[in-house]
Amino acid sequence: MFAPVTKVVRVSFAVEPNYSGWRLDRYLQEKIPRLSREKIQYLVEHRLESADGRRLKAATRVVPGLAFSLLKNAEPEPDAPLDFGVVHDDGALLVVDKPAGLPVHPTARYSAHTFTSAARLRYPHRKVDPAHRLDRETSGLLACGTAPEWTRKLKRAFADGEVRKTYLALAHGEPREARFTVDAPLAITGASAVRVRMHVVEGGLPSVTEFEVLERRREAGGVPVALLACSPRTGRQHQIRAHLHHAGLPLVGD
């Protein structure tokens, strides 16, 4: 009798500029917070393939653009909305409207149900590659290059601060000022299969977000809410929600 063949999938990573100098195991723990450090170190030792074939260790200091894959046994993936709208396409720049719930890149839990996988199916003759990231739960515009040379230029523009990103958020509370900035370090303080817990922590990663009040109103019962334009100056996971919570303005429905 033959044992069933276990399907193996490759979860690919390319290190972003803001993680330069991190240990590889710490970088992966940031990307896959539900895994313990011991589990991540095991994966680095036994189930990691670098794009250039060199041996990477848990203590390896990562650099921007470092590419590698983790090998994992395929598991049933959670469902995700795979359809996305296109708001701009000039042949070089593709801007799509990513729905909430759709991961951008493959992760430990998602492989086929990602934007990059869906884009390969929709555009089989173009190499669509996002120039930045949006959290899985976040909806919004995602800018992509459609060939390596365009993607490199886009990513450089994001890394050099030439692109300003603004998000809209509805928060409980009454901001004291029309414009304010939260400059507070962030770190992951816990994680589960469905939620990453990011909080302001002394010694965390430097994180800055600028906010502007666009509208103030009151819900039924007189509860105050504010519509805010949020402009992150750093790219930490769940940065906006964590900084608003720190400011006493938690997101509505969070």
Side-chain angles (χ1 to χ4, degrees):
M1 179 178 294
F2 294 98
V5 176
T6 301
K7 183 180 179 182
V8 175
V9 297
R10 284 173 168 78
V11 181
S12 298
F13 296 87
V15 176
E16 302 88 340
N18 56 304
Y19 293 104
S20 180
W22 284 35
R23 282 175 55 109
L24 177 58
D25 55 357
R26 187 184 172 207
Y27 170 80
L28 284 171
Q29 195 162 28
E30 173 88 354
K31 293 297 183 179
I32 320 175
R34 68 188 183 91
L35 297 184
S36 68
R37 188 163 185 171
E38 291 74 19
K39 178 64 174 178
I40 285 174
Q41 289 176 340
Y42 172 85
L43 292 174
V44 171
E45 178 69 22
H46 299 283
R47 310 211 64 177
L48 183 145
E49 291 182 350
S50 64
D52 59 9
R54 67 188 178 101
R55 178 73 178 274
L56 300 177
K57 298 181 179 180
T60 297
R61 298 289 176 174
V62 302
V63 296
L66 176 66
F68 60 89
S69 298
L70 289 181
L71 310 182
K72 75 181 191 77
N73 295 335
E75 299 175 358
E77 286 188 47
D79 289 332
L82 297 176
D83 192 25
F84 55 85
V86 174
V87 299
H88 177 84
D89 185 359
D90 62 13
L93 172 66
L94 175 70
V95 181
V96 304
D97 186 3
K98 186 190 86 68
L102 176 63
V104 174
H105 296 288
T107 67
R109 297 177 65 223
Y110 294 88
S111 178
H113 298 169
T114 65
F115 166 75
T116 52
S117 296
R120 279 196 299 270
L121 293 176
R122 185 182 295 194
Y123 302 105
H125 304 298
R126 304 167 76 181
K127 187 168 175 43
V128 175
D129 189 7
H132 60 107
R133 61 184 293 273
L134 286 176
D135 290 329
R136 175 172 58 86
E137 302 91 342
T138 302
S139 63
L141 299 182
L142 188 64
C144 310
T146 60
E149 60 269 26
W150 301 118
T151 302
R152 283 194 296 270
K153 291 181 180 180
L154 275 174
K155 289 185 176 180
R156 191 179 307 118
F158 276 93
D160 293 344
E162 297 175 9
V163 180
R164 292 179 61 90
K165 293 185 289 184
T166 301
Y167 300 81
L168 296 178
L170 194 62
H172 288 290
E174 293 184 277
R176 293 191 297 271
E177 300 172 326
R179 295 175 181 268
F180 60 98
T181 300
V182 176
D183 184 347
L186 295 175
I188 293 176
T189 57
S192 67
V194 296
R195 174 62 57 88
V196 172
R197 296 181 178 88
M198 181 75 78
H199 290 95
V200 172
V201 176
E202 184 177 354
L205 296 173
S207 308
V208 181
T209 311
E210 296 174 359
F211 297 96
E212 179 184 358
V213 179
L214 301 179
E215 187 177 345
R216 302 173 188 264
R217 65 175 62 176
R218 292 186 178 273
E219 296 180 316
V223 177
V225 295
L227 178 65
L228 301 161
C230 316
S231 301
R233 294 292 167 254
T234 50
R236 313 305 177 198
Q237 192 173 19
H238 299 306
Q239 176 174 312
I240 291 173
R241 65 192 300 205
H243 274 174
L244 282 174
H245 185 273
H246 180 68
L249 301 164
L251 287 173
V252 172
D254 190 21

